[in-house]
Amino acid sequence: MSVRSRFAPSPTGYLHIGGARTALFAWLYARHHGGTFILRIEDTDRERSSVESVNAILEGMTWLGLSYDEGPFYQTERFERYDAVLGQMLAAGHAYRCYCSQDELTAMREAQMARKDKPRYDGRCRHLQTPPPGNPPSVIRFRNPQDGDVVVDDLIRGRVAFSNSELDDLVLARTDGTPTYNFTVVVDDMDMGVSCVIRGDDHLNNTPRQINILHALGADTPQYAHVPMILGADGKRLSKRHGAVSVMQYCEEGYLPEALLNYLVRLGWSHGDQEVFTLDELVALFDVERVNRAAAVFNPDKLLWLNQHYLKTSTPEHVARHLGPFLGRLGVDPALDGPPLTQAVLALRERSKTLVEMADKALPFYREFESYEPAAAAKHLTAATAEPLLAVYTQLEQLTDWSASTLQAALETVAGQCHLKFGQLAQPLRVALCGSAVSPAIDTTLLLIGRGRVLGRLQRALRWLETHGTA
Ligand code: GLU
């Protein structure tokens, strides 16, 4: 059997952290085995599904680079196929029509509960030969085997046995004819030749039912791997209360996709104590059987650490491609004016944890800032700094070669002339050039801001000092 895995989200919201991790595991499983990865959109619940959610899921998958080989298949486009299989199952006696009304089902449940029995459908329509008088509306139920066990040999959970006596006759199609989740999944996994179903362990209880239906259809059963859930630091299921749970929100907040992927894979999977993996390494090493059985705990600090790691170690070109849109949002087109973005990346990557931070810090290289940070100005732009700043201006204006080494030498000359330590000169200069006392090394800062802007900002600072500079 060739290796085929799938990701089968219900489009009822954005792609969240848990879904993305399931998708990643299924994707890695397929890639590791040289198999096929399928994307299937489970949109039969029309009330809760939306086109926006489908788009949000596709956007998240694309951003993460989880490319699919087949699909996206939409279940809403497969109703004819589900009808055909229902017809086949009815004809073969694997399914039957159940005419019980809601009232009847409620009364059945209440009586069972009064007897302290587990509420379940009691199979009263199993043996009907003809519809009751008046042919009332009916659902279609699966004729679940009544004896024996169903064993799920789960690749993560190990052997889990379910007794058929615990499983009642599942509804396959509602009174309006629409198929139910457990049925569509089975038909799709069968038709799509899925060899391994990797999904959240909230579906484990559905698995014996799905296996029984597959047997009734004479289909092979795939392997199953149920992935444990993700918890927040407080031990509760990960949710918005714990911060961002949408994949695209991490994109918005300035994370690199490879940082999130690397983080997600470590949520439950490990290879020794290695923390950082390239995608190629993951494809080579990933083994679904090594996914931990216990729930994983989401740790935003670790994700931030990984993001900084990737900002520092990826090629500047790669980071620049991701940084560009963040500057765009701030109204800057780095291609028009200012240093090549790769130089800004090299200057800032040791001091930025996210692309948002990096873009903020890169702004002075690309456009004028509005005003000096009051605290920085009060500390560094004092009457005493007017003279050294003027000396810097005079030195720099004469420079014919605007390079890091000549800039550094020029500043050292000025510091010597003015009897200042280098830092005593560099800090006011930073405020004059960037508006704040935080910037990369001063020679790099001058280099990236460029001659014209540096001289203009020095003039601006000198003018400002005439009116504001205090002793
Ligand atoms: N559509 C289901 C969900 O989003 C997943 C079903 C499956 O993977 O079998 O939870």
Side-chain angles (χ1 to χ4, degrees):
M1 202 178 188
S2 61
V3 168
R4 294 169 66 82
S5 68
R6 55 33 164 216
F7 177 50
S10 303
T12 54
Y14 43 71
L15 179 62
H16 56 78
I17 290 292
R21 185 190 56 161
T22 306
L24 172 62
F25 285 174
W27 183 89
L28 283 172
Y29 181 83
R31 293 290 171 264
H32 177 80
H33 293 285
T36 304
F37 178 60
I38 303 164
L39 177 63
R40 181 168 84 220
I41 305 290
E42 304 206 320
D43 54 351
T44 53
D45 184 344
R46 287 193 152 131
E47 304 248 299
R48 298 181 61 224
S49 304
S50 69
V51 177
E52 291 74 30
S53 297
V54 172
N55 291 338
I57 291 167
L58 297 180
E59 191 188 13
M61 302 272 295
T62 305
W63 182 69
L64 286 172
L66 300 178
S67 51
Y68 31 91
D69 308 302
E70 292 179 17
F73 297 110
Y74 293 85
Q75 289 191 322
T76 44
E77 290 173 7
R78 290 177 46 79
F79 281 127
E80 270 180 35
R81 172 65 182 148
Y82 305 135
D83 276 348
V85 179
L86 281 171
Q88 213 178 299
M89 290 180 77
L90 283 169
H94 292 306
Y96 63 92
R97 287 196 179 276
C98 163
Y99 301 88
C100 294
S101 65
Q102 269 316 319
D103 288 348
E104 212 175 335
L105 293 173
T106 309
M108 184 191 305
R109 194 165 43 242
E110 282 169 1
Q112 287 164 336
M113 282 160 66
R115 290 196 304 269
K116 303 242 176 331
D117 286 347
K118 191 172 157 194
R120 64 208 301 275
Y121 179 68
D122 65 4
R124 64 181 66 176
C125 294
R126 264 189 164 225
H127 306 292
L128 284 184
Q129 298 295 333
T130 48
N135 198 8
S138 59
V139 299
I140 298 176
R141 286 188 188 269
F142 177 57
R143 195 183 297 276
N144 199 77
Q146 289 176 307
D147 307 313
D149 287 341
V150 189
V151 173
V152 183
D153 267 317
D154 194 272
L155 294 175
I156 297 172
R157 305 280 294 243
R159 186 178 187 280
V160 191
F162 297 82
S163 165
N164 272 323
S165 62
E166 292 289 314
L167 307 174
D168 59 1
D169 289 351
L170 183 82
V171 174
L172 302 178
R174 305 180 184 90
T175 41
D176 65 0
T178 55
T180 57
Y181 158 72
N182 274 299
F183 177 62
T184 55
V185 165
V186 164
V187 176
D188 289 351
D189 285 340
M190 173 178 79
D191 286 357
M192 295 171 194
V194 172
S195 65
C196 184
V197 170
I198 298 175
R199 61 183 170 199
D201 68 0
D202 46 335
H203 288 289
L204 182 61
N205 286 333
N206 290 320
T207 304
R209 297 177 179 282
Q210 295 179 10
I211 290 176
N212 280 337
I213 302 172
L214 284 164
H215 284 157
L217 290 169
D220 291 332
T221 32
Q223 287 187 297
Y224 290 91
H226 287 93
V227 180
M229 63 174 149
I230 303 175
L231 308 176
D234 57 0
K236 306 228 168 76
R237 198 192 177 102
L238 188 70
S239 74
K240 279 191 197 150
R241 282 181 297 121
H242 300 103
V245 282
S246 146
V247 164
M248 290 315 286
Q249 196 170 333
Y250 284 95
C251 168
E252 296 287 304
E253 290 180 9
Y255 287 78
L256 288 170
E258 49 276 27
L260 188 57
L261 278 181
N262 196 149
Y263 182 70
L264 289 175
V265 83
R266 290 283 293 104
L267 273 178
W269 179 83
S270 59
H271 179 74
D273 49 16
Q274 188 172 342
E275 288 292 352
V276 179
F277 298 86
T278 64
L279 208 50
D280 286 346
E281 276 176 317
L282 287 179
V283 168
L285 296 171
F286 184 76
D287 177 357
V288 76
E289 290 174 51
R290 288 187 51 92
V291 171
N292 207 319
R293 279 183 197 202
V297 177
F298 190 78
N299 176 350
D301 293 336
K302 192 165 154 197
L303 173 55
L304 197 58
W305 175 82
L306 272 170
N307 199 48
Q308 188 168 24
H309 170 83
Y310 280 97
L311 289 176
K312 280 198 251 183
T313 55
S314 306
T315 65
E317 290 74 18
H318 177 77
V319 180
R321 262 195 304 282
H322 285 276
L323 179 62
F326 286 89
L327 279 165
R329 269 198 232 163
L330 298 171
V332 163
D333 181 351
L336 290 182
D337 192 7
L341 208 42
T342 46
Q343 287 188 20
V345 170
L346 284 170
L348 296 169
R349 64 188 190 169
E350 292 289 336
R351 44 182 69 233
S352 314
K353 288 197 173 75
T354 67
L355 294 162
V356 170
E357 227 183 280
M358 200 182 262
D360 276 342
K361 291 186 170 152
L363 269 184
F365 306 150
Y366 296 97
R367 74 157 186 229
E368 297 311 315
F369 56 88
E370 278 179 18
S371 56
Y372 302 111
E373 266 180 24
K379 185 159 177 210
H380 299 293
L381 291 188
T382 60
T385 50
E387 194 194 319
L389 287 184
L390 181 61
V392 172
Y393 180 86
T394 314
Q395 275 286 333
L396 297 185
E397 204 198 9
Q398 292 164 9
L399 278 188
T400 45
D401 169 29
W402 197 264
S403 68
S405 56
T406 51
L407 287 165
Q408 179 72 19
L411 295 183
E412 278 167 14
T413 306
V414 173
Q417 283 167 359
C418 301
H419 307 292
L420 292 173
K421 288 193 200 131
F422 194 75
Q424 289 173 312
L425 179 65
Q427 286 305 78
L429 193 49
R430 282 198 169 89
V431 182
L433 297 178
C434 303
S436 82
V438 188
S439 82
I442 194 70
D443 54 346
T444 311
T445 305
L446 287 164
L447 192 67
L448 293 191
I449 293 177
R451 187 172 192 277
R453 280 189 170 126
V454 165
L455 295 178
R457 288 181 200 176
L458 279 169
Q459 283 174 341
R460 173 182 170 186
L462 290 167
R463 276 198 306 276
W464 188 89
L465 278 169
E466 280 169 21
T467 45
H468 297 81
T470 50

